[in-house]
C-alpha cells in the first residue's frame, strides 16, 4: 500500500470512487498504480 506525497489524499480517493461508479476504472485497486 502506498500513500500520495501531497495532502490531497481524500480528494484523490473521492475521485477514484467516482471513476469506479462511472465505470471508468474496474476497481479502486487500480489506485495503487496511480499513486506516484
Amino acid at each position: 500500500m502506498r500513500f500520495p506525497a501531497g495532502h490531497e489524499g481524500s480528494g484523490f480517493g473521492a475521485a477514484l470512487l467516482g471513476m469506479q461508479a462511472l465505470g471508468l476504472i474496474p476497481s479502486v485497486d487500480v489506485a495503487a498504480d496511480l499513486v506516484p
Side-chain angles (χ1 to χ4, degrees), residues 3-36:
F3 297 96
H7 298 286
E8 63 277 348
S10 59
F12 184 69
L16 285 171
L17 290 174
M19 289 170 66
Q20 183 184 14
L22 292 172
L24 298 174
I25 58 173
S27 73
V28 291
D29 293 330
V30 173
D33 296 332
L34 301 175
V35 176

